Amino acid sequence: MSSQDFANELLAKADIQINGSRPWDLQLHRDDVIPRALAHGNLGLGEAYMDGHWDCEHLDQFFSRLLQARIAEQVHPSRLIMHSLKNRLFNLQGKKRAWEVGQKHYDLGNDLYQKMLDKRMVYTCGFWTQAKDLDTAQEHKLELTCRKLKLKPGMRVLDVGCGWGSFMQYAAEHYGVECVGVTISKAQIELGKERFKGLPVEFLLNDYRDLPEIFADKPFDAVVSLGMFEHVGPKNHRTYMQVVNQVLKEHGLFLLHTIGRNAGGTPPDPWIDKYIFPNGELPAIRHVGEAAEKLFVVEDLHNFGASYDKTLMAWHDNFERGWPELQKNARYDTRFYRMWRYYLLSCAGAFRARNIQLWQWVLSKQGVEGHYERPAL
């Protein structure tokens, strides 16, 4: 059977046609796309898209169908063996490597994220159960997060992986708390300091492993981490939990907001690893649970991964609207445009297919007296 015939047979299971007429069908511009995808998996497929060798009107629908039909499980890329071994054998998220994702992703350019994100620049999943637009969905997520942490005026809050400071701004303005944020992105700190002058928020350029030494005698009333745990890696999950345990007061709460996968034991997506989030790896539920053992009590686990589909589609819409202005910057060429579009829409499809999830964990060091009740929005 030829590679084209094999691909046709596989794609038919997802109701996808090669050169079909529907918006989720694959349009080939070169014959080598299918062999590249079969040999290299999503790395080959993604690079071929970046090269302009194939197109799809609605990439999000293409990937949602592909993942729901579990097509990837039926392809065994022969040239990704080393990628899998590398992630199993080495600690790719060690302290020296930790700064790479900041330099390659978060420092890409504040102009890109200002165009793509909501008005507060929240680069994590919004909460859409009652929202009709991105700004509202992100405000609802921030409000829900503050309520889950039971914030009160005068508290000191640590934000691990604070981004541009959107949570710190919201918590300081609406709950009267003081915040310290830690990030590995110089660009985020530069813009964050400019945006939030006059608020009781502080930015630190540090690795999370530095925190116990910095705050040895100044533990926090609450700790929050929104969308940073994905960069920690399984070999460091326990260290991460130990760090938070050391900087949190005995009766404080810790909220961990992270993307997660349905099952462990599989390597990170090679295309995402190479082009978007170097050295990242999504945890499975057992990874978080095992890392927290004897350090924390799990008070609440909330999955609202379906909201990430809407968030990513809103980011994509903003990116498309902002592209005419962004492309005036020499850093953002046509290949970057196709790469970023592939990133946003393939991830939207993955969340739509429920292939990956978004979890908010609420943890305490000793267990909340009586019981912990998840607040309503």
Side-chain angles (χ1 to χ4, degrees):
M1 182 184 292
S2 70
S3 60
Q4 184 91 357
D5 290 339
F6 179 59
N8 279 325
E9 186 177 294
L10 280 179
L11 293 173
K13 297 176 182 179
D15 192 25
I16 297 170
Q17 297 176 4
I18 295 176
N19 297 326
S21 60
R22 298 164 304 179
W24 59 83
D25 286 331
L26 191 71
Q27 308 300 321
L28 294 185
H29 306 313
R30 284 181 50 147
D31 294 336
D32 65 348
V33 171
I34 298 302
R36 284 176 75 177
L38 293 177
H40 297 277
N42 192 41
L43 178 61
L45 188 67
E47 289 182 335
Y49 183 82
M50 290 164 63
D51 293 337
H53 295 174
W54 67 277
D55 277 299
C56 177
E57 186 179 347
H58 291 305
L59 275 173
D60 54 306
Q61 294 183 32
F62 170 79
F63 277 103
S64 176
R65 289 172 175 273
L66 205 67
L67 292 166
Q68 282 179 328
R70 300 188 173 184
I71 301 302
E73 296 176 14
Q74 302 171 58
V75 178
H76 305 284
S78 59
R79 300 181 190 178
L80 291 180
I81 295 174
M82 288 307 298
H83 172 75
S84 180
L85 287 175
K86 180 182 69 172
N87 283 277
R88 290 182 186 180
L89 298 176
F90 300 105
N91 184 357
L92 300 181
Q93 300 83 11
K95 205 166 182 180
K96 289 184 179 179
R97 287 178 174 266
W99 298 87
E100 187 177 346
V101 69
Q103 296 161 359
K104 291 190 174 180
H105 188 84
Y106 297 106
D107 288 346
L108 266 173
N110 286 327
D111 56 342
L112 168 65
Y113 295 108
Q114 285 173 311
K115 292 289 186 185
M116 185 180 88
L117 303 177
D118 65 300
K119 65 182 181 182
R120 294 182 184 273
M121 294 188 71
V122 185
Y123 195 20
T124 51
C125 180
F127 190 62
W128 288 82
T129 58
Q130 301 175 37
K132 298 187 183 303
D133 60 76
L134 181 62
D135 284 345
T136 305
Q138 294 294 14
E139 288 196 9
H140 285 182
K141 188 269 299 297
L142 296 175
E143 176 62 25
L144 183 62
T145 300
C146 289
R147 292 186 188 183
K148 286 181 177 181
L149 286 169
K150 302 186 183 299
L151 297 187
K152 296 178 181 177
M155 281 184 168
R156 288 178 65 249
V157 181
L158 175 66
D159 186 346
V160 185
C162 64
W164 293 271
S166 54
F167 171 82
M168 296 196 295
Q169 176 201 23
Y170 188 91
E173 290 179 342
H174 293 266
Y175 283 83
V177 299
E178 298 178 11
C179 297
V180 177
V182 181
T183 178
I184 54 172
S185 168
K186 294 179 181 178
Q188 289 182 336
I189 286 184
E190 180 182 334
L191 184 58
K193 286 183 175 179
E194 179 185 319
R195 295 174 74 206
F196 304 135
K197 290 178 181 177
L199 284 177
V201 302
E202 178 185 358
F203 288 87
L204 298 178
L205 185 67
N206 283 95
D207 183 83
Y208 69 92
R209 284 160 281 215
D210 300 329
L211 294 174
E213 183 177 349
I214 298 172
F215 298 109
D217 300 319
K218 297 182 291 183
F220 291 86
D221 297 293
V223 177
V224 65
S225 186
L226 304 176
M228 179 269 182
F229 195 67
E230 300 90 332
H231 303 305
V232 171
K235 290 182 171 59
N236 307 300
H237 287 162
R238 183 66 175 179
T239 299
Y240 179 91
M241 289 293 183
Q242 290 169 336
V243 165
V244 175
N245 183 276
Q246 290 175 62
V247 299
L248 179 65
K249 289 182 178 180
E250 287 305 305
H251 296 286
L253 291 176
F254 168 39
L255 186 142
L256 177 66
H257 171 118
T258 182
I259 300 171
R261 51 181 166 163
N262 294 326
T266 55
D269 181 272
W271 186 85
I272 291 287
D273 181 62
K274 183 175 180 179
Y275 291 100
I276 306 299
F277 296 116
N279 308 320
E281 186 163 351
L282 302 183
I285 278 192
R286 66 176 173 85
H287 293 142
V288 183
E290 289 171 359
E293 283 183 2
K294 297 183 180 180
L295 294 172
F296 290 105
V297 174
V298 178
E299 301 287 356
D300 190 54
L301 174 54
H302 186 186
N303 184 347
F304 54 94
S307 279
Y308 228 140
D309 176 12
K310 291 184 177 181
T311 303
L312 283 153
M313 294 305 294
W315 289 346
H316 172 258
D317 289 346
N318 287 346
F319 174 67
E320 292 286 355
R321 280 193 293 270
W323 180 246
E325 187 67 26
L326 287 170
Q327 67 180 330
K328 296 175 183 177
N329 189 325
R331 288 176 299 176
Y332 309 129
D333 58 12
T334 300
R335 197 164 193 265
F336 176 87
Y337 167 76
R338 294 180 68 87
M339 176 186 78
W340 209 251
R341 186 173 187 268
Y342 191 87
Y343 154 51
L344 294 173
L345 294 177
S346 64
C347 288
F351 280 103
R352 192 176 307 163
R354 303 311 303 276
N355 182 256
I356 47 179
Q357 312 302 325
L358 187 285
W359 302 315
Q360 277 199 350
W361 301 68
V362 177
L363 304 104
S364 66
K365 292 174 75 169
Q366 300 182 359
V368 173
E369 188 176 348
H371 69 279
Y372 176 90
E373 185 174 342
R374 181 190 301 168
L377 186 63

